Amino acid sequence: IVTSIDPQVQAQLESTLDDVMKTYSPKLAGGIIMDPHTGEIYAIAARPTYDPNNYNLVTNPADFGNPLVEGRYELGSIMKPLTMAAGIDSGAVTPQTTYNDTGCLMVSTYKVCNFDLKPRGVIPMQQILSQSLNVGASFVATKTGYPTFTRYIQAYGFGEKTGIDLPDEVTGDLSPLGNGTGPAVNYDTASFGQGISESPIEMIRALSTLANGGVLPNPHVVRAIKYDNGVTRDIPIPPGARVL
């Protein structure tokens, strides 16, 4: 099997994750480095991990899994660029659109706030991303319209398998969004990555649309199969769907 994994990139990712574990002591850490145009994965790794040469020393069976493909999580504010792209693509907002950021707002009976609870006043769309503003992401989702926003979230591939050639892939959970007519707060929180869940491989595929002309790539680690007789057969990768 000929893979797309780049040894130097993989080694750097492994080293970076080791530093993350030492600095922050998280329960789980991981990273994926992928070409957004081709879907080729150059590096993928997670912590905690194990040494394949000493797998008998593993005490937690979960360490054998790959949480980047087999796990789903509320991935938070990295959803905001996708929310903004949906708003722009649908025509609901433009880069010149402004809104009055009050720091918090009431959605149904729930309070949605920026991370620091502070208002920003009247500001343009770019500041939603630059300052990672929850209230701003909620504004974009509301302007887009909840049914339309839901269609974009589904079109990004959340809630379905990417088809990556690694075992035990799971799908994200979009059930709080329903068909776009559920409680308003569900869409506002989804706009900044809470209340719905995605696998990390789903998320990196979706984010790749922003660098790939609006088209979903197909994540994969196998480029070709080389046979004992010397023949190498390339693995064809079908084109992805257009989202934006």
Side-chain angles (χ1 to χ4, degrees):
I1 293 177
V2 181
T3 77
S4 57
I5 298 296
D6 183 299
Q8 289 184 311
V9 179
Q10 182 73 32
Q12 182 62 55
L13 176 58
E14 301 278 1
S15 175
T16 299
L17 289 176
D18 286 340
D19 290 342
V20 167
M21 297 300 288
K22 292 176 183 177
T23 303
Y24 300 104
S25 301
K27 292 181 179 180
L28 180 68
I32 307 169
I33 300 174
M34 186 181 82
D35 186 324
H37 305 293
T38 66
E40 288 191 344
I41 292 176
Y42 298 140
I44 180 169
R47 295 291 186 275
T49 187
Y50 67 97
D51 182 350
N53 296 311
N54 297 290
Y55 64 88
N56 58 306
L57 300 180
V58 174
T59 58
N60 183 1
D63 292 351
F64 289 123
N66 182 349
L68 303 172
V69 174
E70 301 172 31
R72 62 188 187 189
Y73 315 92
E74 292 183 44
L75 290 175
S77 287
I78 55 175
M79 181 68 78
K80 287 172 182 165
L82 299 175
T83 296
M84 184 65 71
I88 292 173
D89 193 64
S90 67
V93 299
T94 72
Q96 290 73 40
T97 299
T98 61
Y99 78 106
N100 183 23
D101 189 295
T102 56
C104 291
L105 55 84
M106 294 299 297
V107 182
S108 303
T109 58
Y110 299 90
K111 182 179 285 189
V112 172
C113 295
N114 293 330
F115 69 94
D116 58 2
L117 309 181
K118 295 180 180 179
R120 267 58 175 191
V122 178
I123 54 174
M125 294 295 95
Q126 178 59 47
Q127 290 305 310
I128 297 173
L129 301 180
S130 299
Q131 300 187 52
S132 191
L133 301 176
N134 294 346
V135 170
S138 300
F139 168 83
V140 174
T142 302
K143 287 283 288 184
T144 302
Y146 298 143
T148 301
F149 174 71
T150 300
R151 288 196 295 272
Y152 273 96
I153 294 299
Q154 293 168 338
Y156 284 130
F158 298 127
E160 66 180 33
K161 292 184 178 181
T162 67
I164 188 173
D165 46 5
L166 293 172
D168 301 324
E169 182 180 9
V170 301
T171 63
D173 181 11
L174 300 183
S175 59
L177 298 184
N179 59 4
T181 58
V185 69
N186 290 3
Y187 307 97
D188 285 60
T189 56
S191 72
F192 49 86
Q194 296 181 17
I196 59 174
S197 65
E198 313 83 30
S199 68
I201 193 65
E202 278 183 312
M203 178 57 80
I204 193 173
R205 179 178 68 157
L207 286 169
S208 292
T209 62
L210 305 182
N212 192 35
V215 176
L216 285 171
N218 288 300
H220 60 282
V221 297
V222 177
R223 283 177 171 167
I225 297 176
K226 187 174 183 179
Y227 295 96
D228 291 339
N229 62 8
V231 173
T232 298
R233 178 172 65 87
D234 292 336
I235 303 298
I237 305 299
R242 175 167 294 282
V243 179
L244 306 169

